[in-house]
Amino acid sequence: SLNAKPALDNTVQIKYDPTVYERPVFTGPKNDRQRALVESFRHAWRGYKEHAWGHDNLKPVSGMASDWFSLGLTIVDSLDTAYIMGLTDVFEEGKQWIKEELIFTKNKDVNFFEVTIRILGGLLTNHYFTQDQLFLDKAIDLGDRLMAAFSSPSGIPYSDVNLGARTAHAPEWSHYSTTAEVTTVQLEFRQLSRASGDPIFEEAAAAVSEKIHQLPKKHGLVPIFINPNTGHFLPHATITLGARGDS
């Protein structure tokens, strides 16, 4: 029937051979529009390097540095774009900072979702582009620490992770995690498993999708908050296509 739910077959395994690899080739800008975009990137990179190097962000009006997670977000986030644009010098600068300065041992809470999509995702993308073991080693270290988020009774990730202590918890203002956040990390954890050969990352993230699919829904839609302790949505919570329900 039209209302039938698709079966979730856990026995299907996707074959992935990490030895079969075709390196993507990027040739840099080819027209005036692309060259203007590359120069815009260089402008932003120069400003960040001068005023906020090693910090998460540069405040463009005040010219001051700011930190959210103290993980050099701008560097890790930008490096794959620099690679695609053919900015070898920028790429090497960022890579050197990652090699020497990017550590995950600080006793500091970070947002599980944001660090997954920006830091873990950035490291994995650069590893895929270059096959440089440096990026994969950093990604595995970070992934191991982020796995603390899945230690909840239900397996639904907690929102906050202390990377140094390898602990996780719900945010101070709520017992709930954000639905969009716990269901938008599967790509990165799957790629980490396939690049590293360790299935634990993909299995944890896939189990979250499995649980979400099994929960009752209202016309196929779900609320924006889910309890990592019980594994159930917050009753009567907002349903939206906006923040916390979007990605």
Side-chain angles (χ1 to χ4, degrees), residues 16-227:
Y16 175 74
D17 184 355
T19 63
V20 179
Y21 173 76
E22 184 176 342
R23 178 173 176 170
V25 177
F26 303 107
T27 58
K30 297 180 179 179
N31 55 51
D32 289 342
R33 181 183 179 88
Q34 292 179 357
R35 281 187 283 271
L37 287 171
V38 171
E39 184 51 40
S40 295
F41 182 100
R42 277 200 179 277
H43 170 79
W45 184 262
R46 285 194 296 265
Y48 168 76
K49 186 178 178 181
E50 179 179 353
H51 298 286
W53 183 249
H55 294 278
D56 285 341
N57 301 301
L58 167 64
K59 296 181 177 181
V61 176
S62 68
M64 301 293 290
S66 67
D67 282 299
W68 189 9
F69 307 132
S70 300
L71 292 173
L73 280 177
T74 293
I75 296 174
V76 184
D77 229 358
S78 303
L79 217 55
D80 52 358
T81 302
Y83 187 89
I84 291 170
M85 287 181 166
L87 299 177
T88 305
D89 56 334
V90 171
F91 182 84
E92 290 300 326
E93 285 177 342
K95 175 185 169 182
Q96 195 65 23
W97 184 89
I98 289 173
K99 178 181 179 180
E100 297 177 354
E101 303 292 339
L102 181 61
I103 59 172
F104 308 117
T105 55
K106 296 176 183 176
N107 184 26
K108 183 180 179 68
D109 285 349
V110 301
N111 179 271
F112 168 69
F113 165 73
E114 292 288 348
V115 168
T116 295
I117 66 170
R118 299 182 66 177
I119 302 297
L120 183 60
L123 292 170
L124 289 169
T125 302
N126 286 296
H127 173 256
Y128 181 79
F129 283 167
T130 67
Q131 291 296 283
D132 191 316
Q133 188 66 29
L134 165 68
F135 296 115
L136 182 57
D137 289 343
K138 294 283 185 177
I140 293 172
D141 182 17
L142 177 57
D144 283 337
R145 297 171 186 275
L146 289 171
M147 285 296 291
F150 296 97
S151 64
S152 69
S154 70
I156 299 295
Y158 290 116
S159 68
D160 294 8
V161 179
N162 186 310
L163 296 178
R166 299 176 185 261
T167 58
H169 56 86
E172 296 179 357
W173 50 271
S174 173
H175 296 297
Y176 286 79
S177 295
T178 296
T179 304
E181 292 187 359
V182 303
T183 55
T184 320
V185 297
Q186 283 68 20
L187 174 64
E188 292 81 6
F189 277 83
R190 182 169 64 243
Q191 177 60 17
L192 180 56
S193 277
R194 300 186 183 191
S196 68
D198 188 342
I200 188 174
F201 306 108
E202 180 173 3
E203 290 171 355
V208 176
S209 294
E210 179 84 13
K211 291 177 184 293
I212 296 293
H213 280 293
Q214 291 174 349
L215 291 175
K217 303 170 181 64
K218 185 175 183 179
H219 305 299
L221 302 175
V222 299
I224 61 173
F225 292 113
I226 186 167
N227 191 320

